[in-house]
Amino acid sequence: MDAARDRLAAIRAEVARQGHALLDAGPVAPGFAASFEDLALDAHMGDGGRYRLRRHATFAAAPGKAGIARQPHRPHRQALAHNRLNGDVDRWFEPVLPEVEPALAPLLAFCRDLADGLQSAPASWDIEVHQFRILGQPGTPGLPTPEGVHRDGVDLVFIMLVGRRNVSGGRTLIQDAEGRALAEVELAEPGQAMVLDDHRIRHGVTPIAPLEAGVPATRDVLVVTLRRA
């Protein structure tokens, strides 16, 4: 328990200092990774692309160590200022499957505890969960962030690689609020993650393409965003 507290404190300190932190790879439950085989096509792509599959869910976290409860399914919406491609649109996605929730629970609790520690006092949090699969095809690169380098319009962003297969590209770009480059990172191992202070950091991901022709190229990522309720 002390080791877990120390790790959380170190991550908080790094985010407070520079606005972002890279987390070492941790275990990914096999059943959770397998759930990315059952995502649905994102039908709200402003560029007409058919390279992104996803599921979505929302949760609410009360202050402190109270439970984190799933909320009725609702659309995902971002301001046009934060998403030039798909902003100011209610986007309905297929919901995250209930059987995925046990694997999500410790990740959401970690994100809530991290976010609380960056505040002056524990807060109520509106949490959104996105499961993404990006497809890379010959002649049609997959775009993990088709809107470009951006902010999400929340307080904290957690991004975890679940898997990548036969992928070239997919490097995460990190910039400050004025667009100055801070880092470029490749999430290469399942369970490797990043935490971003969305007020201070802009992020994007380079396109993916197949390393070997004729073999599916997929990049699976879990994104969790937290906004003060």
Side-chain angles (χ1 to χ4, degrees):
M1 184 64 71
D2 288 343
R5 275 201 303 267
D6 290 347
R7 176 174 179 263
L8 189 62
I11 295 169
R12 286 173 180 158
E14 191 169 357
V15 174
R17 177 174 60 83
Q18 64 182 16
H20 61 94
L22 179 64
L23 282 56
D24 293 337
V28 177
F32 181 61
S35 71
F36 283 73
E37 301 291 338
D38 190 23
L39 305 187
L41 183 69
D42 184 339
H44 295 280
M45 296 299 296
D47 63 356
R50 298 177 63 83
Y51 51 80
R52 183 157 74 175
L53 312 177
R54 70 193 294 175
R55 286 185 182 272
H56 172 247
T58 59
F59 295 80
K65 299 296 183 182
I68 299 174
R70 187 159 181 174
Q71 301 300 291
H73 198 50
R74 72 181 195 215
H76 174 57
R77 188 179 181 93
Q78 290 175 289
L80 190 62
H82 298 136
N83 189 326
R84 294 169 295 177
L85 183 67
N86 297 309
D88 286 350
V89 175
D90 283 342
R91 290 183 284 162
W92 287 94
F93 303 114
E94 290 297 311
V96 169
L97 297 174
E99 52 264 37
V100 173
E101 291 186 42
L104 283 176
L107 294 172
L108 300 187
F110 168 81
C111 290
R112 186 267 309 279
D113 292 347
L114 178 60
D116 273 349
L118 293 168
Q119 308 292 316
S120 57
S124 295
W125 295 102
D126 179 62
I127 302 173
E128 291 195 60
V129 171
H130 306 264
Q131 291 179 277
F132 288 104
R133 168 167 283 185
I134 304 300
L135 308 175
Q137 301 165 334
T140 310
L143 307 181
T145 54
E147 66 272 42
V149 180
H150 65 285
R151 289 181 50 235
D152 284 333
V154 296
D155 292 295
L156 197 71
V157 181
F158 172 84
I159 304 167
M160 185 180 81
L161 181 73
V162 176
R164 53 184 289 152
R165 178 175 53 179
N166 192 39
V167 165
S168 170
R171 294 182 64 82
T172 300
L173 310 174
I174 301 174
Q175 301 178 354
D176 67 14
E178 284 72 45
R180 291 184 290 263
L182 298 177
E184 183 173 331
V185 178
E186 181 177 87
L187 298 179
E189 298 180 55
Q192 197 175 13
M194 301 195 68
V195 177
L196 310 172
D197 178 344
D198 195 57
H199 296 283
R200 298 164 57 192
I201 298 296
R202 292 158 46 89
H203 66 281
V205 182
T206 62
I208 71 165
L211 274 172
E212 180 183 348
V215 178
T218 59
R219 182 178 186 268
D220 297 341
V221 171
L222 173 74
V223 175
V224 179
T225 65
L226 295 92
R227 174 168 39 205
R228 287 180 68 103

